[in-house]
Amino acid sequence: MAIVGHALSIVSLLISLAIFFYFRSLCCQRITLHKNLFCSYVLNSAFTIINLITVVNNPKVVQRNPIGCKVLHFFHMYMLGCNYFWMLCEGIYLHTLIVVAVFAEEQHLHWYYLLGWGFPLVPASIHAVARKKYFDDNCWMSVDTHLLYVVHGPIMAALLVNLFFLLNIVRVLVTKLRDTHRAESNMYMKAVRATLILVPLLGIQFVIFPWRPENRLAGEIYDYIMHILMNYQGLLVATIFCFFNGEVQGTLKRQWMQYKAQWGQRRREHCSMRSTSYTATSITEVPAFMYHHDCNSEHSNGKQTEDSELVALKTGETYA
Amino acid sequence: MASVSWRHALFFLLVVNLSVLTTACSSHYGNAIEEFCLAKFKLDMEVLDQRQWCSWEDTVESYGELTNCTFLVALKMNCFWPNRMVDEFFIRVHRHYFHDCSMSGRLLHDPPNQILGPFIVVPILVTLLMTALVVWRSKRSEGII
């Protein structure tokens, strides 16, 4: 079942990455951080699936205890760290942008790359060394050891620091900038909102993990929620950061309208070559992107014109 | 080599002494294993330091020989193995030699808190330091890098 969750996550994340790479107009520093975050989620889900299929479901491999399964576990821990540290990078970026430098763009991203890709090697290596020396069970599969906190401790610290930064941002946006920079304040509030929703969602599984309720019904609900929180994280991240993003939606709508118009135009050309009663004047009256699909009816749909204008206005507005 | 000759001597003694008793299992079985098997085990354990009695690596051989010995005596005396007398025998052995060994024994367990503590706290501190560093560098990134 976990495999299904992670597979869905990978698919949705790859779609989001494709959207981000294809539409150059969406490109900016924050989107670059999103791309790195999605990459780390894809890799994490991939490693989890590989781990589940080859090691966890395979008692013969665990019995044999090859060194490869410990290496796989090490990379799994590294990828887990990368996920949460990239979320931290997003939070630090927003914090620097809004609170510290006040909307000055173009930060240097080298330190973010270091924190996101390089630093998680440290807890993963320390965990590997400690595990090898003190709790060297087969394939390092056991979760009964406190040595797992060597990796989970920094992750929780990163989540707490992230939450602190985001709350600070909200405080600054609400109190200080509301009067002076209203328009930007609104825009950045939308940007922060997405991250602020995600951080507790990602972190809450660590908080409620030890407290499984005794009641049977509540226990089942707990299991389902934990299952969703742990295995569908990639899907959640892709949905909140990409599919629910106003700018992405606007860009996709515009692209769709363009395709519709081009397709309509091609059909129009086909129809005009075939039908003899069609007059030239009706082509010039109707705006280029408003050709109706059906060649027979030539009513210019005033309603459609209105909708397209509204869409064109909205795309510039929201940023979240 | 000494243990092999020991064993041969034991079997010879057994065969000589028990050749009369070819019938079913009796309470002589208990006496027999006390006399023949426990004596050797006692000698082996006395060679070891008392602190090593709880160490599985050091005691596994003698313990295995003890078990095997009771099995062979049972065979010779037409007794079913294991049986109640063997169980009581081993309970006495455990009570004497292994009564204060830790419960987990051979199971894997966490290192003591003095080692576990730093292993957990140090990465957390390094994380916080690294975060502070990144915040500081990105704050000053306008002209420096």
Side-chain angles (χ1 to χ4, degrees):
Chain A
M1 274 309 291
I3 297 181
V4 170
H6 282 283
L8 267 177
S9 295
I10 290 185
V11 165
S12 63
L13 287 165
L14 287 175
I15 294 176
S16 316
L17 273 173
I19 293 177
F20 281 145
F21 275 111
Y22 181 65
F23 293 108
R24 289 276 153 208
S25 64
L26 285 172
C27 201
C28 71
Q29 284 198 324
R30 188 154 179 260
I31 300 292
T32 309
L33 292 183
H34 282 349
K35 285 186 212 166
N36 278 289
L37 178 72
F38 289 2
C39 275
S40 88
Y41 265 99
V42 168
L43 288 170
N44 184 30
S45 289
F47 270 105
T48 307
I49 291 180
I50 294 175
N51 205 11
L52 281 172
I53 293 180
T54 59
V55 177
V56 175
N57 290 344
N58 213 341
K60 291 204 190 84
V61 174
V62 178
Q63 188 86 336
R64 252 187 324 123
N65 196 16
I67 193 108
C69 73
K70 293 184 184 172
V71 169
L72 188 66
H73 187 90
F74 165 76
F75 276 113
H76 189 212
M77 290 287 118
Y78 166 66
M79 278 299 144
L80 194 69
C82 278
N83 275 357
Y84 291 96
F85 278 94
W86 269 111
M87 283 302 301
L88 179 63
C89 285
E90 298 249 356
I92 295 178
Y93 175 80
L94 281 173
H95 186 261
T96 309
L97 194 63
I98 295 172
V99 175
V100 175
V102 193
F103 310 143
E105 284 280 335
E106 294 317 301
Q107 300 174 35
H108 291 282
L109 293 182
H110 311 118
W111 289 96
Y112 294 108
Y113 282 113
L114 186 68
L115 183 65
W117 290 120
F119 181 72
L121 280 172
V122 171
S125 322
I126 296 181
H127 171 259
V129 164
R131 205 69 192 255
K132 183 88 182 97
K133 225 172 148 213
Y134 294 108
F135 203 100
D136 197 8
D137 59 321
N138 283 6
C139 281
W140 290 345
M141 263 180 59
S142 169
V143 294
D144 276 335
T145 168
H146 286 120
L147 284 175
L148 277 178
Y149 283 116
V150 174
V151 170
H152 289 176
I155 286 177
M156 283 195 265
L159 281 168
L160 279 173
V161 166
N162 209 4
L163 195 64
F164 165 73
F165 276 150
L166 289 169
L167 290 175
N168 198 25
I169 291 172
V170 170
R171 178 186 68 93
V172 164
L173 281 176
V174 168
T175 61
K176 296 193 182 161
L177 297 180
R178 191 171 31 184
D179 301 317
T180 54
H181 297 83
R182 170 154 272 158
E184 293 99 334
S185 169
N186 258 336
M187 190 166 75
Y188 284 105
M189 184 65 99
K190 287 188 164 70
V192 169
R193 182 180 58 190
T195 318
L196 198 57
I197 293 175
L198 260 184
V199 169
L201 271 180
L202 296 178
I204 202 160
Q205 56 166 322
F206 289 104
V207 175
I208 70 175
F209 185 66
W211 295 327
R212 192 173 187 282
E214 298 292 330
N215 183 9
R216 195 166 151 259
L217 180 65
E220 292 228 3
I221 296 177
Y222 169 92
D223 281 337
Y224 273 122
I225 292 179
M226 286 299 287
H227 178 78
I228 290 178
L229 284 178
M230 290 194 339
N231 298 325
Y232 287 83
Q233 269 184 14
L235 183 62
L236 276 173
V237 167
T239 309
I240 292 181
F241 271 151
C242 181
F243 301 137
F244 283 176
N245 184 327
E247 193 170 294
V248 169
Q249 286 176 346
T251 311
L252 286 173
K253 264 189 210 152
R254 246 179 317 173
Q255 191 74 3
W256 175 242
M257 287 302 194
Q258 275 184 23
Y259 281 142
K260 255 171 60 170
Q262 284 173 8
W263 188 54
Q265 171 143 28
R266 256 183 248 127
R267 282 205 63 178
R268 205 56 169 149
E269 283 167 8
H270 271 287
C271 286
S272 70
M273 280 188 238
R274 277 186 296 158
S275 78
T276 53
S277 58
Y278 184 79
T279 57
T281 51
S282 45
I283 301 176
T284 52
E285 271 165 13
V286 176
F289 52 87
M290 275 300 108
Y291 285 121
H292 201 271
H293 290 309
D294 191 0
C295 275
N296 295 328
S297 90
E298 290 166 17
H299 305 291
S300 71
N301 301 330
K303 231 172 125 198
Q304 270 192 352
T305 321
E306 241 177 84
D307 281 338
S308 75
E309 277 175 24
L310 279 173
V311 164
L313 277 175
K314 268 195 202 142
T315 50
E317 186 205 33
T318 53
Y319 178 72
Chain B
M1 285 321 296
S3 64
V4 174
S5 59
W6 248 117
R7 200 176 277 147
H8 286 168
L10 265 176
F11 288 164
F12 182 68
L13 271 170
L14 264 175
V15 168
V16 164
N17 284 325
L18 302 175
S19 57
V20 186
L21 306 162
T22 50
T23 49
C25 200
S26 61
S27 61
H28 292 293
Y29 176 68
N31 295 336
I33 50 178
E34 290 265 342
E35 224 179 291
F36 298 118
C37 304
L38 190 58
K40 177 160 188 329
F41 185 69
K42 264 193 195 153
L43 284 174
D44 286 337
M45 294 298 268
E46 257 153 50
V47 166
L48 285 178
D49 190 19
Q50 196 152 358
R51 278 180 307 226
Q52 289 172 294
W53 283 358
C54 279
S55 156
W56 181 245
E57 287 89 21
D58 297 319
T59 54
V60 65
E61 266 191 53
S62 347
Y63 195 82
E65 278 185 25
L66 178 68
T67 312
N68 224 0
C69 173
T70 59
F71 175 63
L72 290 166
V73 171
L75 273 186
K76 281 292 174 219
M77 294 180 73
N78 281 330
C79 290
F80 190 73
W81 192 89
N83 57 54
R84 193 170 55 87
M85 284 184 273
V86 151
D87 282 344
E88 284 169 8
F89 170 74
F90 272 106
I91 288 177
R92 284 198 299 274
V93 165
H94 278 240
R95 238 187 237 141
H96 185 250
Y97 291 101
F98 305 126
H99 62 274
D100 61 352
C101 295
S102 66
M103 284 290 284
S104 51
R106 291 165 58 204
L107 287 176
L108 288 168
H109 57 276
D110 284 338
N113 279 344
Q114 285 150 328
I115 301 180
L116 190 63
F119 261 117
I120 294 181
V121 168
V122 165
I124 294 181
L125 287 178
V126 173
T127 303
L128 294 172
L129 271 171
M130 188 69 191
T131 308
L133 182 70
V134 173
V135 171
W136 178 64
R137 290 309 302 183
S138 62
K139 192 158 71 162
R140 298 186 47 190
S141 69
E142 277 97 35
I144 310 294
I145 298 182

